[in-house]
Short mmCIF file of all heavy atoms in Angstrom, two decimals:
data_model
loop_
_atom_site.label_atom_id
_atom_site.label_comp_id
_atom_site.label_asym_id
_atom_site.label_seq_id
_atom_site.Cartn_x
_atom_site.Cartn_y
_atom_site.Cartn_z
N ASP A 544 -18.65 -9.79 -7.37
CA ASP A 544 -18.27 -9.59 -5.97
C ASP A 544 -18.18 -8.11 -5.62
O ASP A 544 -18.47 -7.72 -4.49
CB ASP A 544 -16.92 -10.25 -5.66
CG ASP A 544 -17.05 -11.75 -5.49
OD1 ASP A 544 -18.00 -12.19 -4.82
OD2 ASP A 544 -16.21 -12.49 -6.03
N THR A 592 -19.43 -8.12 -1.77
CA THR A 592 -19.92 -9.32 -1.08
C THR A 592 -19.18 -9.60 0.22
O THR A 592 -19.67 -10.39 1.04
CB THR A 592 -19.81 -10.55 -2.00
OG1 THR A 592 -18.45 -10.70 -2.46
CG2 THR A 592 -20.72 -10.40 -3.21
N LEU A 593 -18.03 -8.96 0.45
CA LEU A 593 -17.36 -9.12 1.74
C LEU A 593 -18.19 -8.52 2.86
O LEU A 593 -18.09 -8.94 4.02
CB LEU A 593 -15.98 -8.45 1.72
CG LEU A 593 -14.87 -9.17 0.96
CD1 LEU A 593 -13.59 -8.36 1.04
CD2 LEU A 593 -14.64 -10.56 1.53
N PHE A 594 -19.01 -7.51 2.54
CA PHE A 594 -19.84 -6.87 3.56
C PHE A 594 -20.91 -7.82 4.09
O PHE A 594 -21.49 -7.59 5.15
CB PHE A 594 -20.55 -5.63 3.00
CG PHE A 594 -19.61 -4.56 2.50
CD1 PHE A 594 -20.01 -3.69 1.52
CD2 PHE A 594 -18.33 -4.44 3.01
CE1 PHE A 594 -19.16 -2.70 1.05
CE2 PHE A 594 -17.47 -3.46 2.55
CZ PHE A 594 -17.89 -2.58 1.57
N ARG A 595 -21.19 -8.89 3.35
CA ARG A 595 -22.29 -9.79 3.73
C ARG A 595 -22.09 -10.36 5.13
O ARG A 595 -23.02 -10.45 5.94
CB ARG A 595 -22.39 -10.92 2.71
CG ARG A 595 -23.70 -11.70 2.77
CD ARG A 595 -23.68 -12.91 1.84
NE ARG A 595 -23.37 -12.58 0.46
CZ ARG A 595 -24.26 -12.10 -0.42
NH1 ARG A 595 -25.50 -11.85 -0.03
NH2 ARG A 595 -23.89 -11.86 -1.67
N LYS A 596 -20.86 -10.75 5.42
CA LYS A 596 -20.56 -11.33 6.73
C LYS A 596 -19.83 -10.37 7.65
O LYS A 596 -19.74 -10.61 8.85
CB LYS A 596 -19.73 -12.61 6.55
CG LYS A 596 -20.48 -13.74 5.86
CD LYS A 596 -19.64 -15.00 5.80
CE LYS A 596 -20.41 -16.15 5.15
NZ LYS A 596 -19.61 -17.39 5.08
N ASP A 597 -19.30 -9.30 7.09
CA ASP A 597 -18.55 -8.35 7.89
C ASP A 597 -18.78 -6.95 7.36
O ASP A 597 -18.16 -6.53 6.38
CB ASP A 597 -17.06 -8.68 7.84
CG ASP A 597 -16.22 -7.73 8.68
OD1 ASP A 597 -16.81 -6.87 9.37
OD2 ASP A 597 -14.99 -7.84 8.65
N ASN A 605 -8.82 -6.61 2.41
CA ASN A 605 -9.14 -7.11 3.74
C ASN A 605 -8.68 -8.55 3.93
O ASN A 605 -9.45 -9.43 4.26
CB ASN A 605 -10.66 -7.01 3.99
CG ASN A 605 -10.98 -7.09 5.46
OD1 ASN A 605 -10.24 -6.58 6.28
ND2 ASN A 605 -12.08 -7.74 5.80
N LEU A 606 -7.40 -8.80 3.68
CA LEU A 606 -6.84 -10.13 3.87
C LEU A 606 -6.27 -10.31 5.27
O LEU A 606 -5.91 -11.40 5.66
CB LEU A 606 -5.73 -10.40 2.84
CG LEU A 606 -6.18 -10.40 1.38
CD1 LEU A 606 -4.98 -10.60 0.47
CD2 LEU A 606 -7.22 -11.48 1.14
N ILE A 614 -6.57 -13.70 7.36
CA ILE A 614 -7.89 -14.32 7.43
C ILE A 614 -8.36 -14.68 6.03
O ILE A 614 -7.99 -14.05 5.05
CB ILE A 614 -8.93 -13.37 8.09
CG1 ILE A 614 -8.95 -12.02 7.38
CG2 ILE A 614 -8.68 -13.21 9.56
CD1 ILE A 614 -10.00 -11.07 7.91
N PHE A 615 -9.15 -15.72 5.96
CA PHE A 615 -9.73 -16.14 4.69
C PHE A 615 -11.18 -15.71 4.64
O PHE A 615 -11.95 -16.01 5.54
CB PHE A 615 -9.63 -17.66 4.52
CG PHE A 615 -10.34 -18.16 3.29
CD1 PHE A 615 -9.80 -17.95 2.04
CD2 PHE A 615 -11.55 -18.83 3.41
CE1 PHE A 615 -10.46 -18.41 0.90
CE2 PHE A 615 -12.21 -19.30 2.28
CZ PHE A 615 -11.66 -19.09 1.03
N LYS A 616 -11.53 -14.98 3.59
CA LYS A 616 -12.88 -14.48 3.45
C LYS A 616 -13.60 -15.27 2.35
O LYS A 616 -13.31 -15.11 1.17
CB LYS A 616 -12.86 -12.98 3.09
CG LYS A 616 -12.49 -12.08 4.26
CD LYS A 616 -13.63 -11.97 5.24
CE LYS A 616 -13.33 -10.94 6.31
NZ LYS A 616 -14.41 -10.80 7.27
N GLU A 617 -14.51 -16.11 2.76
CA GLU A 617 -15.32 -16.83 1.78
C GLU A 617 -16.43 -15.89 1.30
O GLU A 617 -17.11 -15.24 2.09
CB GLU A 617 -15.94 -18.08 2.42
CG GLU A 617 -16.71 -18.93 1.43
CD GLU A 617 -17.26 -20.19 2.07
OE1 GLU A 617 -16.95 -20.42 3.25
OE2 GLU A 617 -17.99 -20.92 1.39
N ARG A 618 -16.60 -15.81 -0.02
CA ARG A 618 -17.53 -14.86 -0.58
C ARG A 618 -18.66 -15.58 -1.32
O ARG A 618 -18.43 -16.59 -1.97
CB ARG A 618 -16.82 -13.93 -1.56
CG ARG A 618 -15.62 -13.24 -0.97
CD ARG A 618 -14.85 -12.46 -2.03
NE ARG A 618 -15.50 -11.22 -2.37
CZ ARG A 618 -14.87 -10.06 -2.50
NH1 ARG A 618 -13.58 -9.99 -2.28
NH2 ARG A 618 -15.51 -8.97 -2.82
N GLU A 619 -19.85 -15.03 -1.19
CA GLU A 619 -20.98 -15.48 -1.99
C GLU A 619 -21.29 -14.39 -3.01
O GLU A 619 -21.77 -13.31 -2.66
CB GLU A 619 -22.21 -15.74 -1.10
CG GLU A 619 -23.42 -16.19 -1.91
CD GLU A 619 -24.70 -16.18 -1.10
OE1 GLU A 619 -24.63 -16.00 0.14
OE2 GLU A 619 -25.78 -16.34 -1.70
N SER A 620 -20.95 -14.65 -4.26
CA SER A 620 -21.15 -13.67 -5.32
C SER A 620 -22.63 -13.42 -5.56
O SER A 620 -23.49 -14.21 -5.14
CB SER A 620 -20.48 -14.14 -6.61
OG SER A 620 -19.10 -14.35 -6.43
#
Side-chain angles (χ1 to χ4, degrees):
D544 282 317
T592 56
L593 285 180
F594 300 153
R595 195 186 305 279
K596 293 184 178 180
D597 181 5
N605 198 36
L606 297 177
I614 53 177
F615 174 73
K616 286 286 187 180
E617 184 177 356
R618 306 173 77 135
E619 179 191 350
S620 302

